[in-house]
Amino acid sequence: MAATREKTPAKRADAQRSIEAILDAAVRCLSRNPDASVSEIAKAAGVGRVTVYGHFPNRADLVDAALRRAVEEGHAGLDAVDLDGDPREALARLIDSSWQLVSQSRLLLIAAQDVLPPGRIRELHAGPAERIERLVERGRDEGVFRVDLPTSWLVGVMHSVMHGAADEINAGRLTQDKAAGYIGATLLAAFAPPAELAGK
Amino acid sequence: MAATREKTPAKRADAQRSIEAILDAAVRCLSRNPDASVSEIAKAAGVGRVTVYGHFPNRADLVDAALRRAVEEGHAGLDAVDLDGDPREALARLIDSSWQLVSQSRLLLIAAQDVLPPGRIRELHAGPAERIERLVERGRDEGVFRVDLPTSWLVGVMHSVMHGAADEINAGRLTQDKAAGYIGATLLAAFAPPAELAGK
DNA sequence: CTCTTGTCGAACACCGGTGTACGAGTTACT
DNA sequence: AGTAACTCGTACACCGGTGTTCGACAAGAG
């Protein structure tokens, strides 16, 4: 209750600013290159390498903090999306406003995978993942999404296609503006109940 | 003429055997960990680290050779697959006998990406990629695959879903035997022409 | 203003990977 | 058998990243 921001009993405004900058830079660097060194991150943050070690005991903790920040930022941004109504349209909305975010976190996730214990990552992803799973489940209940494949698989396909789109953009074979449409068209078709079962 | 096997004027049988073992181990190690060191590979091959440098000037050249071998092995294995008949069934056959192979090469590809010039990778992948593209094109011409999305995108989706399946297996959320079925069911739905256009 | 806190740069030891050199021992061609 | 090719272990120099220490200095909080 005492401190709205953090649990630390006392932290100078100067330090807060540095930590902010470091975390910000860490997310940026690690999203570009999962093997980014502490020196790189420090330079990108506009601080000395030693300063980084002053706030984070080691590289692993820094990566953890960066991932945590990226996840909660994304989570907050997605809260605005309306997930009610036709699940298909809701899915399209969700894709439209989140696919880029998810694909950017991909490299950062790889960075985390090299350093963090396995359980930690799944722990941080529990929140956002649940949101999508609920939407898919609802679509299945309403009969607009297929039930012959597990929900977890469908969610996985969603991730894969988004990441694939990011790769295509990186490779210059796809433009940013077309991506969302392609992803939506692909996933809606993949999620739809198979024709054979619809007729029966 | 002089040597039926290789262009090298003279290569002892002993050396050939070593090179074989090294390449084999390199594919195995790099597929498991893209950052595998030369020492690791040498150990896995049952030879000394120095021997490796005796045959490959540096790590990059070794990775290149490993990738080349993996690609041509995969290419050869896929030659047996019958790609005639209904494109949908042909696609299912291709998936069934290749998805595992493709997903394994994924990490190796990452290894190559860190070391090799960008053009080189696309060059090595030209052969196999063309095979799939032809099949997809034929399916589009015959009206069983959708044409509202580019061929390159469809091929990309195929890759993404396969890789996603591999990840799911690694994470223990999917079993090997179910994977091929899931992939096929997903891709056939994603590739099918959208319902609205089918009626026309 | 004073004093605590934070920042910075340089320097250090440590580790692990790369690529090279040497010398002795082994293996295959002819 | 004799010779060239190959292998192996050790050792070395080099590089880059990590985490720590030190001392000087700036900036915020009281």
Side-chain angles (χ1 to χ4, degrees):
Chain A
M1 252 330 260
T4 317
R5 311 293 186 188
E6 292 294 329
K7 69 237 176 189
T8 319
K11 263 297 175 62
R12 232 175 60 181
D14 195 0
Q16 297 259 3
R17 212 173 336 123
S18 283
I19 293 179
E20 196 80 4
I22 292 171
L23 246 44
D24 207 38
V27 172
R28 236 181 311 127
C29 289
L30 293 173
S31 294
R32 201 173 342 109
N33 169 25
D35 297 329
S37 67
V38 176
S39 313
E40 251 179 283
I41 296 173
K43 197 172 301 177
V47 302
R49 193 173 64 98
V50 211
T51 304
V52 175
Y53 281 105
H55 293 295
F56 303 93
N58 52 43
R59 191 178 177 282
D61 280 31
L62 173 57
V63 173
D64 183 289
L67 179 62
R68 203 166 48 226
R69 148 175 283 232
V71 168
E72 72 187 21
E73 265 184 5
H75 196 72
L78 261 54
D79 272 338
V81 180
D82 173 28
L83 293 183
D84 296 330
D86 187 334
R88 286 168 295 200
E89 293 173 10
L91 184 67
R93 281 194 295 271
L94 190 63
I95 291 170
D96 218 48
S97 68
S98 79
W99 85 267
Q100 204 176 349
L101 186 100
V102 171
S103 68
Q104 277 176 357
S105 312
R106 176 170 128 270
L107 288 181
L108 201 150
L109 201 68
I110 293 179
Q113 240 149 6
D114 288 346
V115 177
L116 269 45
R120 182 80 182 127
I121 293 180
R122 211 157 173 72
E123 183 185 339
L124 289 176
H125 259 60
E130 193 208 9
R131 187 210 313 261
I132 298 174
E133 274 168 23
R134 265 210 306 267
L135 174 59
V136 174
E137 288 284 4
R138 190 165 67 84
R140 287 157 64 102
D141 290 344
E142 297 183 13
V144 298
F145 289 164
R146 69 198 301 175
V147 292
D148 62 329
L149 295 177
T151 298
S152 66
W153 168 257
L154 293 182
V155 175
V157 168
M158 185 171 162
H159 269 86
S160 302
V161 172
M162 284 177 170
H163 294 344
D167 287 342
E168 292 291 303
I169 288 181
N170 284 342
R173 292 192 294 275
L174 179 64
T175 59
Q176 187 76 34
D177 52 334
K178 289 179 184 168
Y182 286 3
I183 297 172
T186 303
L187 289 180
L188 286 179
F191 281 23
E196 307 91 55
L197 298 181
K200 281 209 177 175
Chain B
M1 300 190 15
T4 317
R5 309 294 185 191
E6 292 294 330
K7 67 233 175 191
T8 319
K11 261 295 176 62
R12 236 173 58 179
D14 194 359
Q16 298 259 3
R17 212 173 337 122
S18 283
I19 293 178
E20 196 81 2
I22 292 171
L23 247 43
D24 208 38
V27 172
R28 236 180 314 126
C29 290
L30 293 173
S31 294
R32 201 172 345 106
N33 169 25
D35 296 329
S37 68
V38 176
S39 313
E40 251 178 282
I41 296 172
K43 198 173 299 177
V47 302
R49 193 173 65 97
V50 209
T51 305
V52 175
Y53 282 104
H55 293 295
F56 302 92
N58 51 44
R59 193 177 175 281
D61 280 32
L62 173 58
V63 174
D64 184 288
L67 179 62
R68 203 165 50 227
R69 146 174 285 232
V71 168
E72 73 186 20
E73 265 183 4
H75 197 73
L78 261 53
D79 272 338
V81 180
D82 173 27
L83 293 184
D84 296 331
D86 188 333
R88 286 168 295 199
E89 294 174 8
L91 183 66
R93 282 195 295 271
L94 191 62
I95 291 171
D96 217 48
S97 68
S98 78
W99 86 267
Q100 204 175 348
L101 185 99
V102 171
S103 68
Q104 277 175 357
S105 312
R106 175 170 129 270
L107 288 181
L108 202 151
L109 202 67
I110 292 179
Q113 239 149 7
D114 287 346
V115 179
L116 270 44
R120 181 79 182 130
I121 294 179
R122 214 162 170 69
E123 183 186 340
L124 289 176
H125 259 60
E130 192 208 11
R131 186 208 315 261
I132 298 175
E133 275 169 22
R134 265 209 306 268
L135 175 59
V136 174
E137 288 283 4
R138 190 166 67 82
R140 286 157 65 102
D141 290 344
E142 296 182 13
V144 298
F145 289 164
R146 68 198 303 176
V147 292
D148 61 330
L149 295 177
T151 298
S152 66
W153 168 258
L154 293 181
V155 175
V157 169
M158 184 171 163
H159 269 85
S160 301
V161 172
M162 285 178 169
H163 294 344
D167 288 342
E168 292 292 304
I169 288 182
N170 283 344
R173 291 192 295 272
L174 179 64
T175 59
Q176 186 77 35
D177 51 333
K178 288 179 184 170
Y182 286 3
I183 297 172
T186 303
L187 289 181
L188 286 179
F191 281 22
E196 308 92 55
L197 300 180
K200 283 208 178 176

